Amino acid sequence: MSSPETSPYKGTEAADHGPARHNEWPLWEIFIRGQHGLSHRHVGSLHAPDAEMAIKNARDVYTRRNEGVSIWAVEADNIAASSPEEKGSLYEPSNAKVYRHPTFFDIPEEVGAM
Amino acid sequence: MYAQMIKSTGEGVKSLEDMDPDERAFQERINAGGKIEPKDWMPDGYRKTLIRQIGQHAHSEIVGQLPEGNWITRAPTLERKAILLAKVQDEAGHGLYLYCAAETLGVSRDQLTRDLLSGKMKYSSIFNYPTLTWADMGAVGWLVDGAAIMNQVPLQRTSYGPYARAMVRICKEESFHQRQGYDIMMKMAQGTEAQRKMAQDALNRFWYPSLMMFGPSDAESVHSAQSMAWKIKVNTNDELRQKFVDQTVPQAHYLGLTVPDDDLKFNEETGHWDFSQPDWNEFFDVLKGNGPCNVERLEARNKAWDDGRWVREGLLAHAAKKKATHLAAE
Amino acid sequence: MTDPLFEYLCRMGDNTLVLSHRVSEWCGVAPVLEEDIALANTALDLIGQTQLWLGLAGEIEGKGRDADTLAFRRDVWDFRNVLLAEQPNGDFGQTMMRQYLFDAWHLLQLKALKGSSNAQISAIAEKAVKEVTYHVERSGDTVIGLGDGTEESHQRMQKALDRLWPYVGELFVSDAVDQALSAKGIAPEPTSLREEYDTAVNAVLAEATLTRPDSDFAHQGGKTGVRHTEHLGHMLTEMQWLQRAYPDATW
């Protein structure tokens, strides 16, 4: 429950840094959807005793400059993340599909904006 | 800067040929401009040096709240009070972002805090100087934030992803900090006789401590070389200090204030200002704990932490009770 | 008697001025970073509201005094904030209890002012009500969390409640100023807000497992300026020092 000395993310190697203090507030990852209809985006983390306070803290910490209209808070321990070793199999196949990118296609200038 | 005397754990920089395959792949990735992310393999020295550097940077933001917080309740207008409060609040936010970045390396915020409070970890020497008049709010914003920005802008490109992202956010938010300081200085410099005196006095007291913020000359340092190879340090201390002086001197002249350095002279050949070094003995004294305010700063942080314990524990206990009730209801 | 409208605007503005000052005293020394940042937000909202209320007060008075002059150049007897707002911070529990007891009233007051017959007042209330809706949510949750937390936090919160409760009654005392404004539909009768306040506060205190004191004895003298506590003078000494020491300077 405490933000762990061992790791804020499951599977992260701990640094050698002395014993953990009990009674730490857990770490939360904060996602915010801005005014312009884009999807929620990770903006950072913070500590809070529970989910309700995490949302309130996020409002105070991460929307001081009108950044958002909707907040998600996820306890860092509950995030499942891909591991770096899988990077190749997950992402490289899409490198070959260059035709998905508009710059793949040469359109003559006289055709105009497209 | 905010992290002045970071010792990397390496013993000098290894050549690519001397590295084992993991290390070499890591270094090549950095050389190619790639980012290192929390779950990636990294040399132990990289992790430890980063924890120290980010931790020291975070501590500086938090302790840095105190000298300016000293004037919030005495700010001379409602608008100045709001601006100063918003600025000091930003420092708390920046400390928070940085602690979170450090936490991705496997250390907790509370642990870092404990190391600050015990004196084991350091913070920037600049915050051990007192703020004595309202003009100091101007000088701190103009000089101290100016020096900080100089260091932080290149750190947006640092190799460690979470650190770089924190710096991007911090730089964006800090853009008003230096301006509000200079704005105070302009008002003072154009004000009454007493205000002009205050402004000059603030510059006199903060000039050399600001130059110290960049740390001693690092020409000889193996630590700097390793940190630069890892791209967790982007420029040398001397480069940044020169850049700061070149930028700041004309700003002082615009205010009609005198930089307290008789040897300050524009060098036509180099195109830079020649200036006197600060007293590095004083710098090391401050780092050792003998600055004018070291004791007060650590006392204040310790008191806040100790006084706040029951609050942190109370809210956590309530959260646990709520969770238990929810589970029982399911 | 001075213009009741001016008097009333000073009451609103002095409440937010004095309370924002108290809250700003926490900057840099709160129990945890997230609370430090949140408290600063509350203080910033209240400073902003002060500028609006006292700005309008100066305009209504028509003697060339702006919000800063009113904030920094009046002495204790000219201040019109309720005694609750000037109470010292004490520990974090006392600060949050003071905040909640004030916020719960503030929200009802502002909601009523949104319907004011005075367009400038209703515009200020419209803006402030959004900010204060969040203040009361946050301070209420904190009172609940600490009241129903550990044994120690519970005791501290009960102590804070007992300490501050005698200053709640003044929020609902009605006088000639209130009556004059309520007759014109400018501001609500203070007494009319009490029932809803009690309902809200009782619910929060119950969830916080705190006991509302039996006695409703009320200290008075803040909103009329007749008798402030000793604390206000010390606050003004600090707040107004620069303006008083260098009266010919602008900042």
Side-chain angles (χ1 to χ4, degrees), chain C residues 58-69:
Chain C
E59 209 178 289
I60 296 289
E61 187 192 39
K63 290 182 185 165
R65 294 202 283 183
D66 60 10
D68 281 333
T69 315

Side-chain angles (χ1 to χ4, degrees), chain C residues 96-116:
Chain C
M96 292 314 294
M97 182 60 79
R98 181 188 63 204
Q99 193 65 36
Y100 174 66
L101 294 174
F102 180 85
D103 288 343
W105 167 82
H106 200 198
L107 182 63
L108 296 175
Q109 176 80 9
L110 290 169
K111 278 184 174 169
L113 287 178
K114 270 168 66 174
S116 171

